[in-house]
Amino acid sequence: MSLQKNIFKNKSKFVSMKYTKPSSSDSLDDYNPSSWDLYFDEMNYVQISDSKFRYFKAGGDPYLSNSLFVLIHGGGHSALSWSLVTKQLKDECSIFSFDLRGHGGSESEDESDLSKENLTNDIIEMIKYAYSTEDGENNLNVVIIGHSLGGSLAVNVVQNLLDNPQKNIIVKGLVVIDVVEGTALESLDNMKNIISDWPPSFPSIQHAIKWVVESRIVRNVESAKVSIPPQFKSNKNNNNDDNNNNNDNNNEDNEEKEGEVFWRTDLLGSTIYWENWFSGLSSQFLSCFVPKLLILAGTDRLDTELTIAQMQGKYQLKLLPSCGHVIQEDDPKSISDCLIQFKTRNSI
């Protein structure tokens, strides 16, 4: 889930959870959306079963670079939450990310089924589609990296690939960013209250970006300008189209509320899956016998099982206490450095 633990304990960390329309003197020019192609090299779509997934690639051929980083976003986010990290990493390795079912620019016949099993299957099928080879002789060395919900999914994907090996896909590492079982499960009830307080809509995407930044959900303006637009749709019934990064939403509200945007993903509608997303995460993470890295915004997130395992050297731990929950957006340089060091340390 995409809020740091302290949010649940202290709402004062936000400027305001309620939306207040800026005065006429407030400029929105600093919150115009940015385009995906400033960070990724390729965007495309693929139809798999009942879903049309939007995916992004960057860097060279993973069979030549010898490593592919698969980046999995958190609940409510999209692949573009990895934009700034991708820009820093793509000279070091190949990057692949996509919008999960019910998120961003992806579309599914059944967007309500956000079960861990369904999302895990989507991720594995997308990796197989994006990097299949006709000769089947070359191995694809993969590091699975996930943030929040994406971290839980990353663990499940790795366990699935280890238990049920896919031809030519070799898991070389697992990285989980700012999610642990204990904290996540303790926060579920408060999460519902926090999300219920979010404004249901904004007059324009610029207003939405400004609110997210001022509420400190994402603290990095550059990242918010590319990552927030896919989290919204132009009306209550339709998903974002390919123009969700256009800079033409500056019109004042008219009687039809032209330009108004709504949240793309119904997070409250997914509450039936929340407990399943995180239950058993710590033991499952520790049982994945590959090099592992856990990146957290604070030691208060560690539960007992992870604390003991860390003392026993069963995984690598990195703390970035100056960040909020969306660490890869708040401090992409530190995250990129961590991932490169992890790659080097484990000879990936």
Side-chain angles (χ1 to χ4, degrees):
M1 308 303 288
S2 298
L3 290 172
Q4 67 186 102
K5 181 180 179 182
N6 286 337
I7 289 173
F8 304 115
K9 294 182 176 179
N10 183 7
K11 279 192 181 183
S12 65
K13 277 194 172 286
F14 284 90
V15 174
S16 173
M17 294 308 297
K18 300 295 184 181
Y19 173 68
T20 303
K21 186 174 181 179
S23 67
S24 58
S25 61
D26 289 336
S27 173
L28 294 173
D29 291 344
D30 292 336
Y31 301 97
N32 286 331
S34 299
S35 178
W36 65 268
D37 56 8
L38 295 174
Y39 307 95
F40 289 89
D41 300 332
E42 176 188 346
M43 179 191 78
N44 217 323
Y45 294 84
V46 60
Q47 185 78 35
I48 295 180
S49 188
D50 71 332
S51 299
K52 180 181 179 182
F53 291 111
R54 182 175 71 164
Y55 67 88
F56 299 85
K57 291 182 178 182
D61 185 337
Y63 293 102
L64 298 178
S65 67
N66 203 38
S67 59
L68 172 69
F69 282 13
V70 177
L71 308 178
I72 307 171
H73 65 78
H77 291 264
S78 79
L80 294 183
S81 67
W82 298 102
S83 294
L84 273 65
V85 167
T86 294
K87 187 174 183 179
Q88 306 240 0
L89 284 178
K90 64 182 182 179
D91 289 336
E92 301 287 336
C93 60
S94 301
I95 302 292
F96 177 71
S97 190
F98 76 101
D99 298 338
L100 295 174
R101 176 185 299 263
H103 291 72
S106 293
E107 300 177 9
S108 301
E109 292 180 10
D110 183 3
E111 298 203 333
S112 64
D113 186 355
L114 298 182
S115 65
K116 182 163 64 175
E117 294 74 20
N118 205 26
L119 296 174
T120 296
N121 182 67
D122 289 342
I123 294 167
I124 293 173
E125 289 302 310
M126 283 296 291
I127 297 172
K128 289 164 58 178
Y129 163 80
Y131 295 99
S132 61
T133 58
E134 292 184 2
D135 56 33
E137 295 180 355
N138 297 319
N139 287 332
L140 184 66
N141 296 320
V142 177
V143 179
I144 309 294
I145 303 163
H147 166 250
S148 199
L149 165 61
S152 177
L153 295 175
V155 173
N156 209 44
V157 167
V158 168
Q159 184 182 60
N160 189 294
L161 290 175
L162 293 176
D163 292 344
N164 305 283
Q166 300 293 317
K167 186 176 182 180
N168 304 113
I169 298 179
I170 310 299
V171 179
K172 290 291 188 177
L174 168 63
V175 181
V176 173
I177 299 177
D178 214 46
V179 60
V180 297
E181 179 180 354
T183 300
L185 292 176
E186 290 171 5
S187 301
L188 293 184
D189 287 339
N190 285 327
M191 172 70 74
K192 297 175 186 177
N193 296 330
I194 294 295
I195 295 177
S196 296
D197 276 349
W198 287 358
S201 66
F202 295 89
S204 71
I205 194 61
Q206 286 87 347
H207 288 85
I209 295 171
K210 186 174 189 289
W211 177 84
V212 168
V213 171
E214 291 187 344
S215 299
R216 295 178 65 78
I217 296 174
V218 175
R219 303 178 182 186
N220 185 325
V221 176
E222 181 187 357
S223 187
K225 288 164 66 174
V226 66
S227 71
I228 299 306
Q231 296 183 38
F232 287 86
K233 55 188 179 181
S234 58
N235 62 59
K236 291 182 178 180
N237 298 315
N238 295 324
N239 298 337
N240 274 338
D241 57 25
D242 289 344
N243 297 318
N244 60 16
N245 280 326
N246 285 350
N247 302 333
D248 59 358
N249 293 319
N250 290 313
N251 294 332
E252 292 295 320
D253 291 348
N254 58 24
E255 292 182 356
E256 298 179 352
K257 296 186 178 181
E258 182 178 352
E260 188 174 15
V261 294
F262 302 82
W263 294 99
R264 160 71 178 91
T265 303
D266 179 14
L267 287 176
L268 289 178
S270 68
T271 54
I272 60 172
Y273 301 111
W274 288 5
E275 185 172 350
N276 176 253
W277 285 347
F278 304 111
S279 293
L281 176 58
S282 294
S283 59
Q284 188 181 30
F285 172 73
L286 295 173
S287 69
C288 291
F289 295 112
V290 295
K292 296 182 287 292
L293 169 63
L294 177 62
I295 304 175
L296 300 175
T299 54
D300 60 328
R301 289 159 167 75
L302 279 178
D303 55 30
T304 302
E305 188 173 8
L306 288 176
T307 299
I308 294 173
Q310 198 274 326
M311 292 178 179
Q312 296 172 338
K314 293 185 177 180
Y315 66 93
Q316 182 184 351
L317 175 66
K318 179 68 176 179
L319 301 179
L320 296 175
S322 63
C323 298
H325 176 56
V326 195
I327 304 179
Q328 75 275 17
E329 297 200 50
D330 291 348
D331 192 354
K333 177 63 165 59
S334 292
I335 288 292
S336 301
D337 289 344
C338 287
L339 295 178
I340 292 171
Q341 291 165 10
F342 178 75
K343 177 178 182 290
T344 302
R345 176 177 181 174
N346 295 286
S347 301
I348 300 173

mmCIF file of all heavy atoms in Angstrom, residues 149-196:
data_model
loop_
_atom_site.group_PDB
_atom_site.id
_atom_site.type_symbol
_atom_site.label_atom_id
_atom_site.label_comp_id
_atom_site.label_asym_id
_atom_site.label_seq_id
_atom_site.Cartn_x
_atom_site.Cartn_y
_atom_site.Cartn_z
ATOM 1 N N LEU A 149 2.762 -2.990 -2.221
ATOM 2 C CA LEU A 149 2.062 -4.153 -2.774
ATOM 3 C C LEU A 149 2.951 -4.855 -3.790
ATOM 4 O O LEU A 149 3.015 -6.092 -3.836
ATOM 5 C CB LEU A 149 0.755 -3.732 -3.441
ATOM 6 C CG LEU A 149 0.095 -4.765 -4.365
ATOM 7 C CD1 LEU A 149 -0.261 -6.037 -3.607
ATOM 8 C CD2 LEU A 149 -1.122 -4.167 -5.049
ATOM 9 N N GLY A 150 3.651 -4.085 -4.611
ATOM 10 C CA GLY A 150 4.568 -4.669 -5.592
ATOM 11 C C GLY A 150 5.666 -5.489 -4.949
ATOM 12 O O GLY A 150 6.154 -6.465 -5.534
ATOM 13 N N GLY A 151 6.064 -5.113 -3.711
ATOM 14 C CA GLY A 151 7.061 -5.895 -2.991
ATOM 15 C C GLY A 151 6.527 -7.254 -2.605
ATOM 16 O O GLY A 151 7.218 -8.278 -2.730
ATOM 17 N N SER A 152 5.282 -7.295 -2.127
ATOM 18 C CA SER A 152 4.651 -8.574 -1.805
ATOM 19 C C SER A 152 4.511 -9.433 -3.053
ATOM 20 O O SER A 152 4.764 -10.646 -3.026
ATOM 21 C CB SER A 152 3.276 -8.328 -1.172
ATOM 22 O OG SER A 152 2.613 -9.546 -0.910
ATOM 23 N N LEU A 153 4.130 -8.809 -4.162
ATOM 24 C CA LEU A 153 3.999 -9.547 -5.413
ATOM 25 C C LEU A 153 5.355 -10.043 -5.902
ATOM 26 O O LEU A 153 5.464 -11.148 -6.437
ATOM 27 C CB LEU A 153 3.354 -8.659 -6.478
ATOM 28 C CG LEU A 153 1.906 -8.235 -6.214
ATOM 29 C CD1 LEU A 153 1.432 -7.261 -7.291
ATOM 30 C CD2 LEU A 153 0.976 -9.438 -6.139
ATOM 31 N N ALA A 154 6.405 -9.226 -5.714
ATOM 32 C CA ALA A 154 7.749 -9.631 -6.130
ATOM 33 C C ALA A 154 8.161 -10.914 -5.411
ATOM 34 O O ALA A 154 8.712 -11.841 -6.022
ATOM 35 C CB ALA A 154 8.742 -8.509 -5.840
ATOM 36 N N VAL A 155 7.884 -10.986 -4.104
ATOM 37 C CA VAL A 155 8.209 -12.188 -3.331
ATOM 38 C C VAL A 155 7.434 -13.388 -3.865
ATOM 39 O O VAL A 155 7.998 -14.481 -4.045
ATOM 40 C CB VAL A 155 7.893 -11.963 -1.837
ATOM 41 C CG1 VAL A 155 8.059 -13.261 -1.047
ATOM 42 C CG2 VAL A 155 8.783 -10.870 -1.258
ATOM 43 N N ASN A 156 6.161 -13.188 -4.154
ATOM 44 C CA ASN A 156 5.340 -14.291 -4.659
ATOM 45 C C ASN A 156 5.793 -14.737 -6.047
ATOM 46 O O ASN A 156 5.783 -15.936 -6.360
ATOM 47 C CB ASN A 156 3.866 -13.869 -4.684
ATOM 48 C CG ASN A 156 2.921 -15.044 -4.502
ATOM 49 O OD1 ASN A 156 3.139 -15.903 -3.656
ATOM 50 N ND2 ASN A 156 1.865 -15.078 -5.309
ATOM 51 N N VAL A 157 6.182 -13.785 -6.886
ATOM 52 C CA VAL A 157 6.678 -14.114 -8.225
ATOM 53 C C VAL A 157 7.958 -14.936 -8.121
ATOM 54 O O VAL A 157 8.117 -15.959 -8.803
ATOM 55 C CB VAL A 157 6.928 -12.824 -9.049
ATOM 56 C CG1 VAL A 157 7.748 -13.135 -10.305
ATOM 57 C CG2 VAL A 157 5.609 -12.182 -9.435
ATOM 58 N N VAL A 158 8.881 -14.498 -7.264
ATOM 59 C CA VAL A 158 10.149 -15.214 -7.118
ATOM 60 C C VAL A 158 9.903 -16.632 -6.604
ATOM 61 O O VAL A 158 10.462 -17.604 -7.139
ATOM 62 C CB VAL A 158 11.099 -14.453 -6.175
ATOM 63 C CG1 VAL A 158 12.298 -15.325 -5.796
ATOM 64 C CG2 VAL A 158 11.577 -13.173 -6.843
ATOM 65 N N GLN A 159 9.072 -16.766 -5.592
ATOM 66 C CA GLN A 159 8.784 -18.104 -5.077
ATOM 67 C C GLN A 159 8.161 -18.990 -6.156
ATOM 68 O O GLN A 159 8.506 -20.163 -6.293
ATOM 69 C CB GLN A 159 7.852 -18.031 -3.875
ATOM 70 C CG GLN A 159 7.604 -19.403 -3.242
ATOM 71 C CD GLN A 159 6.639 -19.362 -2.076
ATOM 72 O OE1 GLN A 159 5.492 -18.971 -2.219
ATOM 73 N NE2 GLN A 159 7.124 -19.768 -0.911
ATOM 74 N N ASN A 160 7.253 -18.411 -6.940
ATOM 75 C CA ASN A 160 6.607 -19.163 -8.012
ATOM 76 C C ASN A 160 7.627 -19.610 -9.050
ATOM 77 O O ASN A 160 7.600 -20.773 -9.507
ATOM 78 C CB ASN A 160 5.523 -18.295 -8.658
ATOM 79 C CG ASN A 160 4.657 -19.048 -9.629
ATOM 80 O OD1 ASN A 160 5.114 -19.495 -10.665
ATOM 81 N ND2 ASN A 160 3.374 -19.174 -9.307
ATOM 82 N N LEU A 161 8.545 -18.714 -9.433
ATOM 83 C CA LEU A 161 9.535 -19.052 -10.454
ATOM 84 C C LEU A 161 10.556 -20.061 -9.933
ATOM 85 O O LEU A 161 11.109 -20.849 -10.712
ATOM 86 C CB LEU A 161 10.250 -17.784 -10.929
ATOM 87 C CG LEU A 161 9.394 -16.821 -11.754
ATOM 88 C CD1 LEU A 161 10.166 -15.540 -12.059
ATOM 89 C CD2 LEU A 161 8.942 -17.467 -13.063
ATOM 90 N N LEU A 162 10.818 -20.034 -8.615
ATOM 91 C CA LEU A 162 11.730 -21.024 -8.047
ATOM 92 C C LEU A 162 11.063 -22.386 -7.928
ATOM 93 O O LEU A 162 11.695 -23.427 -8.168
ATOM 94 C CB LEU A 162 12.212 -20.552 -6.671
ATOM 95 C CG LEU A 162 13.112 -19.314 -6.654
ATOM 96 C CD1 LEU A 162 13.423 -18.908 -5.217
ATOM 97 C CD2 LEU A 162 14.404 -19.549 -7.428
ATOM 98 N N ASP A 163 9.790 -22.396 -7.573
ATOM 99 C CA ASP A 163 9.057 -23.655 -7.418
ATOM 100 C C ASP A 163 8.634 -24.249 -8.762
ATOM 101 O O ASP A 163 8.531 -25.474 -8.906
ATOM 102 C CB ASP A 163 7.812 -23.447 -6.558
ATOM 103 C CG ASP A 163 8.141 -23.135 -5.109
ATOM 104 O OD1 ASP A 163 9.293 -23.365 -4.697
ATOM 105 O OD2 ASP A 163 7.246 -22.650 -4.392
ATOM 106 N N ASN A 164 8.383 -23.379 -9.729
ATOM 107 C CA ASN A 164 7.927 -23.807 -11.055
ATOM 108 C C ASN A 164 8.773 -23.119 -12.119
ATOM 109 O O ASN A 164 8.322 -22.154 -12.756
ATOM 110 C CB ASN A 164 6.446 -23.460 -11.257
ATOM 111 C CG ASN A 164 5.571 -24.032 -10.166
ATOM 112 O OD1 ASN A 164 5.265 -25.213 -10.147
ATOM 113 N ND2 ASN A 164 5.147 -23.165 -9.231
ATOM 114 N N PRO A 165 10.004 -23.544 -12.308
ATOM 115 C CA PRO A 165 10.935 -22.856 -13.211
ATOM 116 C C PRO A 165 10.374 -22.691 -14.616
ATOM 117 O O PRO A 165 9.762 -23.611 -15.171
ATOM 118 C CB PRO A 165 12.164 -23.776 -13.211
ATOM 119 C CG PRO A 165 12.069 -24.536 -11.929
ATOM 120 C CD PRO A 165 10.597 -24.748 -11.698
ATOM 121 N N GLN A 166 10.578 -21.502 -15.157
ATOM 122 C CA GLN A 166 10.202 -21.204 -16.538
ATOM 123 C C GLN A 166 11.450 -21.315 -17.405
ATOM 124 O O GLN A 166 12.530 -20.872 -17.007
ATOM 125 C CB GLN A 166 9.605 -19.803 -16.640
ATOM 126 C CG GLN A 166 8.353 -19.594 -15.805
ATOM 127 C CD GLN A 166 7.185 -20.411 -16.309
ATOM 128 O OE1 GLN A 166 6.935 -20.492 -17.508
ATOM 129 N NE2 GLN A 166 6.453 -21.026 -15.380
ATOM 130 N N LYS A 167 11.301 -21.865 -18.569
ATOM 131 C CA LYS A 167 12.445 -22.088 -19.452
ATOM 132 C C LYS A 167 13.192 -20.788 -19.713
ATOM 133 O O LYS A 167 12.602 -19.792 -20.127
ATOM 134 C CB LYS A 167 11.972 -22.702 -20.770
ATOM 135 C CG LYS A 167 13.121 -23.108 -21.690
ATOM 136 C CD LYS A 167 12.596 -23.798 -22.933
ATOM 137 C CE LYS A 167 13.739 -24.241 -23.837
ATOM 138 N NZ LYS A 167 13.243 -24.922 -25.061
ATOM 139 N N ASN A 168 14.485 -20.806 -19.433
ATOM 140 C CA ASN A 168 15.402 -19.698 -19.728
ATOM 141 C C ASN A 168 15.229 -18.469 -18.845
ATOM 142 O O ASN A 168 15.884 -17.450 -19.083
ATOM 143 C CB ASN A 168 15.299 -19.278 -21.208
ATOM 144 C CG ASN A 168 15.555 -20.450 -22.147
ATOM 145 O OD1 ASN A 168 14.640 -20.882 -22.841
ATOM 146 N ND2 ASN A 168 16.768 -20.977 -22.142
ATOM 147 N N ILE A 169 14.347 -18.503 -17.834
ATOM 148 C CA ILE A 169 14.223 -17.380 -16.896
ATOM 149 C C ILE A 169 14.903 -17.783 -15.591
ATOM 150 O O ILE A 169 14.440 -18.693 -14.890
ATOM 151 C CB ILE A 169 12.754 -17.002 -16.645
ATOM 152 C CG1 ILE A 169 12.095 -16.547 -17.944
ATOM 153 C CG2 ILE A 169 12.668 -15.901 -15.584
ATOM 154 C CD1 ILE A 169 10.617 -16.188 -17.781
ATOM 155 N N ILE A 170 16.001 -17.112 -15.268
ATOM 156 C CA ILE A 170 16.795 -17.429 -14.082
ATOM 157 C C ILE A 170 16.682 -16.271 -13.094
ATOM 158 O O ILE A 170 17.100 -15.146 -13.400
ATOM 159 C CB ILE A 170 18.273 -17.660 -14.433
ATOM 160 C CG1 ILE A 170 18.402 -18.645 -15.595
ATOM 161 C CG2 ILE A 170 19.033 -18.131 -13.202
ATOM 162 C CD1 ILE A 170 17.846 -20.011 -15.323
ATOM 163 N N VAL A 171 16.126 -16.535 -11.923
ATOM 164 C CA VAL A 171 15.993 -15.490 -10.905
ATOM 165 C C VAL A 171 17.321 -15.331 -10.186
ATOM 166 O O VAL A 171 17.840 -16.270 -9.576
ATOM 167 C CB VAL A 171 14.886 -15.831 -9.883
ATOM 168 C CG1 VAL A 171 14.793 -14.726 -8.832
ATOM 169 C CG2 VAL A 171 13.549 -16.016 -10.583
ATOM 170 N N LYS A 172 17.862 -14.116 -10.258
ATOM 171 C CA LYS A 172 19.164 -13.827 -9.664
ATOM 172 C C LYS A 172 19.079 -12.990 -8.399
ATOM 173 O O LYS A 172 20.074 -12.846 -7.680
ATOM 174 C CB LYS A 172 20.042 -13.111 -10.691
ATOM 175 C CG LYS A 172 20.496 -13.982 -11.845
ATOM 176 C CD LYS A 172 21.481 -15.033 -11.371
ATOM 177 C CE LYS A 172 22.109 -15.797 -12.526
ATOM 178 N NZ LYS A 172 23.123 -16.759 -12.059
ATOM 179 N N GLY A 173 17.916 -12.392 -8.136
ATOM 180 C CA GLY A 173 17.822 -11.560 -6.941
ATOM 181 C C GLY A 173 16.405 -11.088 -6.697
ATOM 182 O O GLY A 173 15.547 -11.112 -7.592
ATOM 183 N N LEU A 174 16.170 -10.647 -5.455
ATOM 184 C CA LEU A 174 14.859 -10.167 -5.020
ATOM 185 C C LEU A 174 15.065 -8.910 -4.178
ATOM 186 O O LEU A 174 15.857 -8.910 -3.232
ATOM 187 C CB LEU A 174 14.158 -11.242 -4.194
ATOM 188 C CG LEU A 174 12.910 -10.844 -3.405
ATOM 189 C CD1 LEU A 174 11.793 -10.387 -4.339
ATOM 190 C CD2 LEU A 174 12.430 -12.015 -2.536
ATOM 191 N N VAL A 175 14.356 -7.854 -4.531
ATOM 192 C CA VAL A 175 14.437 -6.602 -3.780
ATOM 193 C C VAL A 175 13.033 -6.152 -3.407
ATOM 194 O O VAL A 175 12.156 -6.035 -4.275
ATOM 195 C CB VAL A 175 15.130 -5.486 -4.594
ATOM 196 C CG1 VAL A 175 15.226 -4.202 -3.766
ATOM 197 C CG2 VAL A 175 16.516 -5.927 -5.049
ATOM 198 N N VAL A 176 12.808 -5.922 -2.115
ATOM 199 C CA VAL A 176 11.521 -5.468 -1.604
ATOM 200 C C VAL A 176 11.702 -4.083 -1.000
ATOM 201 O O VAL A 176 12.617 -3.867 -0.191
ATOM 202 C CB VAL A 176 10.979 -6.447 -0.551
ATOM 203 C CG1 VAL A 176 9.720 -5.895 0.110
ATOM 204 C CG2 VAL A 176 10.682 -7.799 -1.196
ATOM 205 N N ILE A 177 10.824 -3.156 -1.378
ATOM 206 C CA ILE A 177 10.961 -1.771 -0.942
ATOM 207 C C ILE A 177 9.786 -1.356 -0.064
ATOM 208 O O ILE A 177 8.636 -1.338 -0.485
ATOM 209 C CB ILE A 177 11.072 -0.820 -2.154
ATOM 210 C CG1 ILE A 177 12.317 -1.179 -2.982
ATOM 211 C CG2 ILE A 177 11.145 0.636 -1.707
ATOM 212 C CD1 ILE A 177 12.483 -0.346 -4.240
ATOM 213 N N ASP A 178 10.075 -1.066 1.161
ATOM 214 C CA ASP A 178 9.196 -0.471 2.171
ATOM 215 C C ASP A 178 7.862 -1.182 2.354
ATOM 216 O O ASP A 178 6.800 -0.553 2.342
ATOM 217 C CB ASP A 178 8.968 1.017 1.890
ATOM 218 C CG ASP A 178 8.821 1.786 3.213
ATOM 219 O OD1 ASP A 178 9.632 1.547 4.119
ATOM 220 O OD2 ASP A 178 7.907 2.616 3.338
ATOM 221 N N VAL A 179 7.938 -2.477 2.561
ATOM 222 C CA VAL A 179 6.754 -3.217 3.005
ATOM 223 C C VAL A 179 7.222 -4.412 3.819
ATOM 224 O O VAL A 179 8.142 -5.127 3.413
ATOM 225 C CB VAL A 179 5.876 -3.681 1.822
ATOM 226 C CG1 VAL A 179 6.622 -4.596 0.874
ATOM 227 C CG2 VAL A 179 4.608 -4.346 2.333
ATOM 228 N N VAL A 180 6.660 -4.570 5.010
ATOM 229 C CA VAL A 180 6.861 -5.755 5.830
ATOM 230 C C VAL A 180 5.500 -6.189 6.351
ATOM 231 O O VAL A 180 4.580 -5.383 6.478
ATOM 232 C CB VAL A 180 7.843 -5.522 6.999
ATOM 233 C CG1 VAL A 180 9.232 -5.178 6.496
ATOM 234 C CG2 VAL A 180 7.330 -4.443 7.919
ATOM 235 N N GLU A 181 5.407 -7.455 6.656
ATOM 236 C CA GLU A 181 4.110 -8.034 6.998
ATOM 237 C C GLU A 181 3.462 -7.367 8.207
ATOM 238 O O GLU A 181 2.295 -6.961 8.172
ATOM 239 C CB GLU A 181 4.279 -9.528 7.257
ATOM 240 C CG GLU A 181 2.995 -10.240 7.654
ATOM 241 C CD GLU A 181 3.228 -11.724 7.909
ATOM 242 O OE1 GLU A 181 4.345 -12.211 7.669
ATOM 243 O OE2 GLU A 181 2.274 -12.396 8.349
ATOM 244 N N GLY A 182 4.208 -7.254 9.307
ATOM 245 C CA GLY A 182 3.618 -6.746 10.545
ATOM 246 C C GLY A 182 3.039 -5.356 10.408
ATOM 247 O O GLY A 182 1.883 -5.098 10.757
ATOM 248 N N THR A 183 3.842 -4.432 9.882
ATOM 249 C CA THR A 183 3.391 -3.054 9.712
ATOM 250 C C THR A 183 2.201 -2.966 8.772
ATOM 251 O O THR A 183 1.241 -2.241 9.030
ATOM 252 C CB THR A 183 4.538 -2.187 9.164
ATOM 253 O OG1 THR A 183 5.629 -2.224 10.081
ATOM 254 C CG2 THR A 183 4.083 -0.750 8.976
ATOM 255 N N ALA A 184 2.267 -3.713 7.665
ATOM 256 C CA ALA A 184 1.188 -3.655 6.676
ATOM 257 C C ALA A 184 -0.134 -4.130 7.276
ATOM 258 O O ALA A 184 -1.174 -3.467 7.123
ATOM 259 C CB ALA A 184 1.554 -4.493 5.458
ATOM 260 N N LEU A 185 -0.110 -5.260 7.957
ATOM 261 C CA LEU A 185 -1.355 -5.805 8.515
ATOM 262 C C LEU A 185 -1.908 -4.913 9.622
ATOM 263 O O LEU A 185 -3.128 -4.745 9.742
ATOM 264 C CB LEU A 185 -1.113 -7.217 9.037
ATOM 265 C CG LEU A 185 -0.820 -8.281 7.965
ATOM 266 C CD1 LEU A 185 -0.511 -9.625 8.614
ATOM 267 C CD2 LEU A 185 -1.999 -8.419 7.003
ATOM 268 N N GLU A 186 -1.023 -4.327 10.436
ATOM 269 C CA GLU A 186 -1.476 -3.439 11.499
ATOM 270 C C GLU A 186 -2.136 -2.179 10.949
ATOM 271 O O GLU A 186 -2.972 -1.559 11.613
ATOM 272 C CB GLU A 186 -0.291 -3.037 12.379
ATOM 273 C CG GLU A 186 0.268 -4.154 13.236
ATOM 274 C CD GLU A 186 1.568 -3.750 13.910
ATOM 275 O OE1 GLU A 186 1.959 -2.563 13.770
ATOM 276 O OE2 GLU A 186 2.187 -4.605 14.564
ATOM 277 N N SER A 187 -1.780 -1.802 9.745
ATOM 278 C CA SER A 187 -2.214 -0.524 9.176
ATOM 279 C C SER A 187 -3.477 -0.611 8.336
ATOM 280 O O SER A 187 -3.987 0.414 7.877
ATOM 281 C CB SER A 187 -1.085 0.059 8.311
ATOM 282 O OG SER A 187 0.084 0.252 9.060
ATOM 283 N N LEU A 188 -4.004 -1.806 8.107
ATOM 284 C CA LEU A 188 -5.090 -1.965 7.139
ATOM 285 C C LEU A 188 -6.336 -1.167 7.504
ATOM 286 O O LEU A 188 -6.946 -0.522 6.642
ATOM 287 C CB LEU A 188 -5.435 -3.446 6.975
ATOM 288 C CG LEU A 188 -4.347 -4.309 6.330
ATOM 289 C CD1 LEU A 188 -4.851 -5.727 6.130
ATOM 290 C CD2 LEU A 188 -3.880 -3.710 5.007
ATOM 291 N N ASP A 189 -6.753 -1.207 8.754
ATOM 292 C CA ASP A 189 -7.963 -0.475 9.141
ATOM 293 C C ASP A 189 -7.780 1.029 8.962
ATOM 294 O O ASP A 189 -8.680 1.717 8.455
ATOM 295 C CB ASP A 189 -8.336 -0.797 10.593
ATOM 296 C CG ASP A 189 -8.912 -2.198 10.744
ATOM 297 O OD1 ASP A 189 -9.383 -2.746 9.732
ATOM 298 O OD2 ASP A 189 -8.875 -2.725 11.879
ATOM 299 N N ASN A 190 -6.631 1.533 9.386
ATOM 300 C CA ASN A 190 -6.377 2.962 9.224
ATOM 301 C C ASN A 190 -6.230 3.358 7.759
ATOM 302 O O ASN A 190 -6.548 4.484 7.373
ATOM 303 C CB ASN A 190 -5.122 3.371 9.999
ATOM 304 C CG ASN A 190 -5.374 3.445 11.491
ATOM 305 O OD1 ASN A 190 -6.470 3.786 11.924
ATOM 306 N ND2 ASN A 190 -4.365 3.113 12.277
ATOM 307 N N MET A 191 -5.743 2.417 6.951
ATOM 308 C CA MET A 191 -5.625 2.686 5.523
ATOM 309 C C MET A 191 -6.975 3.049 4.913
ATOM 310 O O MET A 191 -7.086 3.980 4.113
ATOM 311 C CB MET A 191 -5.058 1.453 4.804
ATOM 312 C CG MET A 191 -5.064 1.537 3.291
ATOM 313 S SD MET A 191 -3.882 2.726 2.668
ATOM 314 C CE MET A 191 -2.367 1.806 2.935
ATOM 315 N N LYS A 192 -8.007 2.329 5.303
ATOM 316 C CA LYS A 192 -9.342 2.617 4.775
ATOM 317 C C LYS A 192 -9.766 4.038 5.121
ATOM 318 O O LYS A 192 -10.343 4.752 4.289
ATOM 319 C CB LYS A 192 -10.354 1.616 5.334
ATOM 320 C CG LYS A 192 -10.101 0.173 4.937
ATOM 321 C CD LYS A 192 -11.072 -0.768 5.625
ATOM 322 C CE LYS A 192 -10.744 -2.213 5.343
ATOM 323 N NZ LYS A 192 -11.637 -3.159 6.063
ATOM 324 N N ASN A 193 -9.488 4.465 6.354
ATOM 325 C CA ASN A 193 -9.853 5.817 6.767
ATOM 326 C C ASN A 193 -9.084 6.873 6.001
ATOM 327 O O ASN A 193 -9.639 7.897 5.598
ATOM 328 C CB ASN A 193 -9.604 5.986 8.276
ATOM 329 C CG ASN A 193 -10.477 5.083 9.120
ATOM 330 O OD1 ASN A 193 -11.593 4.743 8.720
ATOM 331 N ND2 ASN A 193 -9.976 4.663 10.275
ATOM 332 N N ILE A 194 -7.803 6.619 5.782
ATOM 333 C CA ILE A 194 -6.971 7.576 5.054
ATOM 334 C C ILE A 194 -7.464 7.741 3.619
ATOM 335 O O ILE A 194 -7.660 8.848 3.122
ATOM 336 C CB ILE A 194 -5.503 7.130 5.052
ATOM 337 C CG1 ILE A 194 -4.917 7.176 6.465
ATOM 338 C CG2 ILE A 194 -4.674 8.007 4.114
ATOM 339 C CD1 ILE A 194 -4.832 8.550 7.065
ATOM 340 N N ILE A 195 -7.683 6.616 2.941
ATOM 341 C CA ILE A 195 -8.124 6.686 1.540
ATOM 342 C C ILE A 195 -9.501 7.323 1.440
ATOM 343 O O ILE A 195 -9.786 8.065 0.493
ATOM 344 C CB ILE A 195 -8.113 5.273 0.915
ATOM 345 C CG1 ILE A 195 -6.686 4.746 0.848
ATOM 346 C CG2 ILE A 195 -8.732 5.303 -0.488
ATOM 347 C CD1 ILE A 195 -6.577 3.328 0.320
ATOM 348 N N SER A 196 -10.365 7.068 2.416
ATOM 349 C CA SER A 196 -11.703 7.673 2.410
ATOM 350 C C SER A 196 -11.628 9.192 2.508
ATOM 351 O O SER A 196 -12.539 9.892 2.062
ATOM 352 C CB SER A 196 -12.533 7.117 3.576
ATOM 353 O OG SER A 196 -12.758 5.733 3.418
#
